[in-house]
Amino acid sequence: MLDCIVVGAGPAGGSAAYHLARRDRQVLLLEQAQLPRQKACAGGVSPQVARWFDCDLRSVVDHGVDRLRFTWKLGDPVEAELPSEEPFWMVRRDRFDHFLVEQAANLGARIEDGAAVTAVSAEGDGWLVTVGDRAYRSRTLIAADGARGPLAQWLGFPSQKRRYAQACELDVPLPARPDSTAHFEFGLVRNGYIWVFPKSDGYSIGIGTFRGNDATDFRGLLETYLAGFGVSADLDRIVPHPLCVWDGSQPLHRGSALLVGEAASLTDPFTAEGIRPALLSGMRAAEAIDRAIAGDRNALAGYSRTIQQEWGDSMAWAKRISSVFYRVPNLGYQIGIKRPTAPQRMAQILVGELDYSDIATRVIRRLTTGFLPGMR
Ligand SMILES: Cc1cc2nc3c(=O)[nH]c(=O)nc-3n(C[C@H](O)[C@H](O)[C@H](O)COP(=O)(O)OP(=O)(O)OC[C@H]3O[C@@H](n4cnc5c(N)ncnc54)[C@H](O)[C@@H]3O)c2cc1C
């Protein structure tokens, strides 16, 4: 019997398989797509994640960002240098995610792609995982199957706490390598923003909304923005993708099964950052399973607590900031982004040097008093 089956080969599943294989655990990683697989994503990653891996993740960094530029309806710009020594990473998800899977395989993990899990059921002390007409047995299970994956529901985790954001992304090739500025536009989109991130051979351009379920004209908004930005792109290709954003603390363990990454709704509800929490949760899940197999009965419950402490506490503040900021974004922009220190703080959050809890009370106080007549 295997020690663990990991379902999904995104950053959460790749990280879990890597850290389990590194501890000599027998792990099988099942991915429904053919690897390397494409993933719609802007690919911005905090360099902070490098310290969680022995392998050289920097070898798959495509470009770096050391400057942020914010605008409101294409005007009123604010710029900031990133404070960290190392630029914010820009990665290509097919390469980045696959690199991690290959590293896990080098350490002994078994990888099967084109393997869509069709059912899971508890069997004795472990799990029976079905892929079409094949079945695999394991002592533990990690659901890393992302925002659209079925495992959380199949495993009986409460589904009512799933909150969805949505985002579209497209790559726009350029004849020359763009500079190292990431652009964020807040005024055109209700409850969200447009981004332009530099890649080695062009831009990743996208749009996301984080609150409410209103139908958003992503295509029309991007058309307006790109005309102002001076770039043309074929917008026929854009499709909205769901993101499971953090919406409150919830147990991430059930029996000997754990949820990681977007399957655990860990994505930042203010910025949509999901790669860092996916890598973190994959690593912490692997550590917990390693301890559980070694006999620690509290290890899996400890995983839920650890993620809450190391990520959820900060996300609780991100959720509050998001709800205040996106409710009245013009005020949010004036009070939250245009303050002299604000872009620096935002940059520090993105690279992982600051936690939302370090700035949240002040930011929320400024934003909420900004709404009150006579208080600005
Ligand atoms: C447009 C867009 C832009 C984004 N930009 C950023 C960004 O710049 N920075 C950032 O940090 N985050 C960004 N995100 C969020 C980030 O992409 C996700 O949070 C991240 O991919 C989550 O990783 P994961 O491993 O949990 O899930 P995923 O990367 O979604 O991987 C899940 C995997 O599970 C597989 N799977 C699903 N069901 C099954 C099954 N039944 N059997 C087998 N395999 C299965 C899927 O095929 C998939 O490969 C963006 C998201 C979107 C949509």
Side-chain angles (χ1 to χ4, degrees):
M1 175 155 20
L2 292 155
D3 289 321
C4 184
I5 293 175
V6 180
V7 182
S15 172
Y18 175 87
H19 285 286
L20 279 163
R22 207 173 139 265
R23 287 169 172 76
D24 288 330
R25 295 298 179 192
Q26 298 292 308
V27 55
L28 169 65
L29 176 61
L30 296 170
E31 165 58 50
Q32 65 184 4
Q34 298 294 330
L35 295 174
R37 62 104 173 80
Q38 297 290 335
K39 162 85 180 113
C41 182
V45 185
S46 163
Q48 189 201 40
V49 305
R51 67 197 161 122
W52 298 332
F53 297 89
D54 296 336
C55 56
D56 184 14
L57 284 180
R58 288 185 179 86
S59 65
V60 276
V61 173
D62 179 71
H63 200 340
V65 160
D66 54 21
R67 198 168 178 75
L68 304 181
R69 188 169 194 272
F70 303 94
T71 52
W72 177 264
K73 296 194 174 159
L74 286 155
D76 208 4
V78 185
E79 296 198 11
E81 301 284 341
L82 279 183
S84 56
E85 274 176 24
E86 185 169 357
F88 189 64
W89 295 353
M90 292 288 122
V91 305
R92 297 223 172 260
R93 287 294 301 277
D94 51 347
R95 281 190 70 206
F96 184 81
D97 294 8
H98 194 52
F99 176 78
L100 206 47
V101 170
E102 284 176 329
Q103 300 305 306
N106 291 344
L107 291 169
R110 203 169 117 203
I111 316 293
E112 286 196 21
D113 62 354
V117 170
T118 43
V120 291
S121 54
E123 193 190 69
D125 284 345
W127 296 96
L128 182 72
V129 176
T130 308
V131 175
D133 54 8
R134 306 194 297 280
Y136 303 91
R137 286 177 177 77
S138 65
R139 301 163 81 169
T140 62
L141 182 66
I142 294 182
D145 53 340
R148 295 180 203 261
L151 263 80
Q153 208 184 344
W154 288 352
L155 292 165
F157 283 88
S159 55
Q160 69 276 14
K161 273 216 158 179
R162 279 209 160 178
R163 187 173 137 221
Y164 288 97
Q166 42 178 346
C168 308
E169 191 265 347
L170 78 162
D171 290 327
V172 179
L174 293 178
R177 186 181 173 91
D179 75 5
S180 51
T181 307
H183 302 257
F184 297 87
E185 156 60 43
F186 283 100
L188 292 177
V189 193
R190 209 161 146 235
N191 296 325
Y193 63 83
I194 291 173
W195 72 81
V196 177
F197 284 0
K199 295 287 171 80
S200 58
D201 58 358
Y203 287 131
S204 158
I205 296 181
I207 178 167
T209 57
F210 304 99
R211 289 183 74 236
N213 296 315
D214 356 322
T216 303
D217 177 15
F218 289 122
R219 190 191 155 134
L221 292 168
L222 272 181
E223 238 160 29
T224 308
Y225 178 74
L226 291 183
F229 192 76
V231 169
S232 59
D234 173 10
L235 296 175
D236 286 341
R237 291 179 290 138
I238 63 163
V239 249
H241 299 273
L243 293 110
C244 280
V245 293
W246 193 92
D247 194 32
S249 159
Q250 49 189 327
L252 303 178
H253 67 286
R254 198 172 159 87
S256 59
L258 300 181
L259 302 181
V260 294
E262 263 195 53
S265 297
L266 295 181
T267 300
D268 183 326
F270 184 53
T271 63
E273 181 189 12
I275 301 171
R276 184 162 50 128
L279 296 169
L280 172 72
S281 56
M283 175 178 71
R284 295 294 181 230
E287 290 166 355
I289 282 180
D290 182 52
R291 285 199 306 276
I293 291 174
D296 178 351
R297 287 164 167 268
N298 300 316
L300 300 185
Y303 164 73
S304 294
R305 278 196 303 278
T306 302
I307 294 301
Q308 178 57 31
Q309 283 157 9
E310 293 189 17
W311 187 253
D313 287 351
S314 180
M315 288 307 103
W317 288 112
K319 185 183 167 190
R320 284 179 204 130
I321 292 177
S322 172
S323 85
V324 179
F325 182 92
Y326 290 124
R327 197 180 316 148
V328 193
N330 54 345
L331 208 57
Y333 192 76
Q334 293 304 323
I335 296 172
I337 305 271
K338 286 202 75 186
R339 287 183 67 83
T341 55
Q344 281 284 328
R345 297 281 172 270
M346 196 62 220
Q348 283 175 292
I349 294 220
L350 279 178
V351 295
E353 281 182 3
L354 275 186
D355 220 68
Y356 283 106
S357 53
D358 298 322
I359 59 154
T361 324
R362 253 174 303 146
V363 170
I364 290 172
R365 192 180 327 119
R366 268 187 215 121
L367 289 173
T368 43
T369 51
F371 299 145
L372 305 173
M375 292 291 281
R376 288 182 62 189

